[in-house]
């Protein structure tokens, strides 16, 4: 299956990308007055349900293909709502990597991202100019690692944590005081180069990569669940 990705833009939340509305045929059923009327209405309901199934199958397949071939991004910038960011700590703790060392995977991701930032690139229809390089931040690595582990544990790629947290809250829980923060996530990309290339090819992710707003980043992967966190300190 191809790697997943997508785009969600929200000032300080991780709202679901898709609202699925239940469809019911209950309105087609009326109380019969005669046996003939009963049979007539049964066939009408059966015909309606057949048409509903015929409509639902391609819709379901279309959504499945869409979710299997995209990239998903949560762009969260600016000050927290009401000047406060609630720290949510109900997720089961994970074994965190050393706080002051960087893995070869993280260093490779930083190198690739900074190469893109140094050259500038086109994000969708917008040409982004070269910007200053990012630096790895241990706190942001911990936030990224915790979220990748949470996604892997629940076999689900999303920006909202299993405890309901968003990226701003996860970063705050590490003690990092941020002025702006953003997050890219992906699933099933085989390596660092592939996931960075996928993000570069998606306008929303690409704008995160190229934004001069951010000065630091964190990066993590767990069972092919990838998380990249961008931030600027207060």
């Amino acid at each position: 299956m191809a790697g997943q990705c997508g785009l969600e833009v929200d000032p300080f939340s991780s709202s679901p990308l898709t609202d699925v509305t239940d469809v019911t045929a209950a309105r087609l059923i009326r109380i019969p007055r005669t046996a003939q009327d009963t049979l007539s209405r049964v066939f009408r309901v059966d015909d309606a349900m057949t048409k509903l199934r015929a409509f639902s199958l391609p819709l379901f397949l279309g959504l499945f293909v869409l979710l299997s071939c995209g990239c998903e991004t949560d762009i969260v910038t600016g000050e927290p709502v009401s000047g406060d960011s609630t720290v949510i700590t109900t997720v089961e703790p994970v074994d965190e990597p050393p706080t002051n060392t960087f893995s070869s995977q993280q260093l490779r991701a930083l190198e690739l991202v900074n190469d893109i930032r140094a050259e500038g690139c086109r994000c969708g229809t917008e040409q982004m100019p070269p910007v200053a390089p990012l630096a790895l931040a241990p706190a942001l690595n911990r936030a990224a690692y915790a979220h990748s582990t949470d996604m892997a544990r629940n076999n689900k790629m999303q920006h909202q944590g299993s405890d309901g947290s968003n990226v701003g809250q996860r970063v705050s829980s590490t003690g990092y005081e941020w002025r702006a923060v953003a997050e890219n996530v992906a699933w099933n990309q085989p390596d660092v180069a592939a996931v960075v290339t996928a993000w570069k090819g998606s306008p929303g992710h690409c704008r995160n990569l190229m934004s001069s707003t951010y000065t630091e980043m964190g990066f993590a992967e767990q069972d092919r669940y990838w998380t990249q966190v961008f931030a600027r300190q207060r």
Side-chain angles (χ1 to χ4, degrees), residues 50-73:
T50 299
K51 291 179 180 178
L52 180 61
R53 286 193 295 269
F55 171 76
S56 299
L57 180 59
L59 177 61
F60 172 78
L61 291 176
L63 288 172
F64 178 80
V65 171
L66 176 63
L67 293 175
S68 298
C69 302
C71 283
E72 186 172 6
T73 292

Side-chain angles (χ1 to χ4, degrees), residues 2-8 16-17 66-74 147-148 150-162 170 183-189 195 199 205 222-227:
Q4 271 190 2
C5 41
L7 175 63
E8 179 183 5
L17 294 177
L66 176 63
L67 293 175
S68 298
C69 302
C71 283
E72 186 172 6
T73 292
D74 181 13
H147 190 51
S148 283
D150 187 46
M151 289 191 293
R153 179 179 291 151
N154 291 282
N155 296 314
K156 187 175 184 180
M157 186 198 77
Q158 60 179 5
H159 291 286
Q160 182 172 315
S162 61
R170 289 189 291 272
E183 181 181 74
N184 287 348
V185 298
W187 173 72
N188 208 33
Q189 299 294 343
V195 74
W199 284 332
H205 301 82
Q222 186 73 15
D223 298 335
R224 291 196 175 187
Y225 285 90
W226 304 85
T227 303

Side-chain angles (χ1 to χ4, degrees), residues 79-139:
E79 298 293 333
V81 174
S82 302
D84 180 38
S85 55
T86 303
V87 178
I88 300 176
T89 57
T90 57
V91 172
E92 182 181 345
V94 298
D95 295 329
E96 295 184 349
T99 58
N100 295 316
T101 61
F102 303 132
S103 68
S104 59
Q105 187 182 71
Q106 290 166 337
L107 292 171
R108 178 58 174 157
L110 181 68
E111 177 185 21
L112 293 171
V113 169
N114 281 340
D115 284 348
I116 296 171
R117 289 172 69 91
E119 295 179 5
C121 71
R122 181 172 293 278
C123 298
T125 60
E126 184 178 4
Q127 181 62 43
M128 306 293 289
V131 290
L134 299 173
L136 285 169

